[in-house]
């Protein structure tokens, strides 16, 4: 289970790195074509990569903590890590979409 947890962590880091690289390449292409909204699209893509990567990192922490050595200390550390990452996820979601995750999109709210 330790190996599985590390593999999930590695996947999370890879998602963040690859997503950021792809967002950078796309932004460079759009800049070279002088398209509008490059910065906003870049921020959105990087933010989505970070959000997805954070989900994998939390999953890896849960796998390693619960399946490998579930002590009170390790569960407490996991709770703090998950709390911080959840706060970061909510903050990034607010930055990307302009609304909290539990709020309806503007189009749905008006209907």
């Amino acid at each position: 289970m330790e190996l599985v947890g590390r593999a999930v962590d590695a996947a999370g880091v890879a998602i963040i790195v690859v997503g950021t690289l792809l967002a950078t390449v796309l932004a460079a292409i759009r800049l070279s074509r002088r398209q509008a909204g490059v910065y906003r699209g870049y921020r959105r893509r990087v933010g989505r990569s970070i959000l997805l990567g954070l989900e994998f990192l939390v999953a890896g922490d849960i796998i390693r903590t619960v399946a490998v050595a579930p002590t009170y200390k390790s569960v407490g550390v996991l709770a703090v890590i998950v709390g911080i990452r959840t706060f970061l996820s909510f903050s990034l979601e607010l930055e990307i979409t302009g609304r909290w995750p539990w709020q309806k999109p503007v189009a749905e709210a008006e209907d």
Side-chain angles (χ1 to χ4, degrees):
M1 282 293 130
E2 179 71 27
L3 186 60
V4 171
R6 287 184 186 203
V8 173
D9 278 347
V13 171
I15 288 168
I16 293 171
V17 170
V18 170
T20 301
L21 289 174
L22 287 173
T24 303
V25 168
L26 288 172
I29 291 169
R30 292 184 70 198
L31 271 175
S32 69
R33 295 179 181 167
R34 300 189 186 274
Q35 293 179 346
V38 175
Y39 177 70
R40 175 172 267 153
Y42 180 69
R43 279 187 58 198
R44 189 177 314 117
R45 286 182 186 96
V46 170
R48 287 179 182 163
S49 299
I50 293 171
L51 280 173
L52 184 58
L54 281 174
E55 295 297 327
F56 274 80
L57 290 169
V58 168
D61 287 340
I62 292 170
I63 289 169
R64 279 196 321 280
T65 301
V66 175
V68 176
T71 64
Y72 286 116
K73 183 178 177 181
S74 64
V75 171
V77 169
L78 174 66
V80 171
I81 291 170
V82 169
I84 291 168
R85 289 186 177 162
T86 300
F87 173 76
L88 288 173
S89 294
F90 282 163
S91 299
L92 284 169
E93 182 72 26
L94 182 61
E95 282 289 320
I96 292 169
T97 63
R99 62 183 174 80
W100 293 105
W102 54 84
Q103 290 178 320
K104 292 181 181 179
V106 175
E108 288 181 23
E110 293 174 356
D111 290 341

